[in-house]
Amino acid sequence: MIALLALVIPVSHRATVPSGAARVLEIQSAEGLQRVDADADVALRVRGPAGVSVVRLAERRAWIERAPCRNRLCQRMGTLRAPGRSLVCIPNQLVVRFSGAADDAPADAITR
């Protein structure tokens, strides 16, 4: 539970990037924080407690291509295209997200 909180709390704090700034893919793992230019076309191998996950970045979209966890729910979470969403693999302590203003992302819900 403590390890999960250690991953979630830093990720929940959303840093704002000024408009016009380049987007960056952030990968938080047991190895630390890794930042990759969103325009890159790469497959990143990320080590965690459960094994090696592969995070794919292409055409300014990111997804978890392979995961060592049993259910592979993180692979079924879909593709990230903008700030505001995250891909999470709890067994492998992995969080993937785009940095930037969440205002750039479409709203999931609106409350008044």
Side-chain angles (χ1 to χ4, degrees):
M1 184 61 116
I2 293 172
L4 177 60
L5 286 176
L7 277 174
V8 172
I9 290 172
V11 171
S12 66
H13 179 277
R14 300 199 183 271
T16 313
V17 174
S19 61
R23 285 229 166 45
V24 174
L25 181 70
E26 295 182 346
I27 302 170
Q28 179 71 48
S29 69
E31 294 180 327
L33 180 64
Q34 183 177 4
R35 291 186 172 100
V36 181
D37 180 20
D39 291 323
D41 186 2
V42 294
L44 303 161
R45 295 174 52 86
V46 183
R47 291 196 183 279
V52 177
S53 295
V54 176
V55 177
R56 181 81 171 147
L57 175 61
E59 300 175 6
R60 297 182 68 89
R61 298 179 323 167
W63 63 94
I64 297 177
E65 192 170 73
R66 272 185 288 159
C69 51
R70 187 172 58 116
N71 293 328
R72 292 179 178 76
L73 294 175
C74 53
Q75 285 181 250
R76 290 185 257 157
M77 290 181 77
T79 302
L80 292 180
R81 292 179 183 87
R85 284 190 55 223
S86 298
L87 302 175
V88 179
C89 180
I90 293 174
N92 215 22
Q93 297 178 1
L94 175 67
V95 178
V96 179
R97 73 181 192 96
F98 281 110
S99 66
D103 296 338
D104 295 343
D108 287 337
I110 298 174
T111 60
R112 294 179 195 217

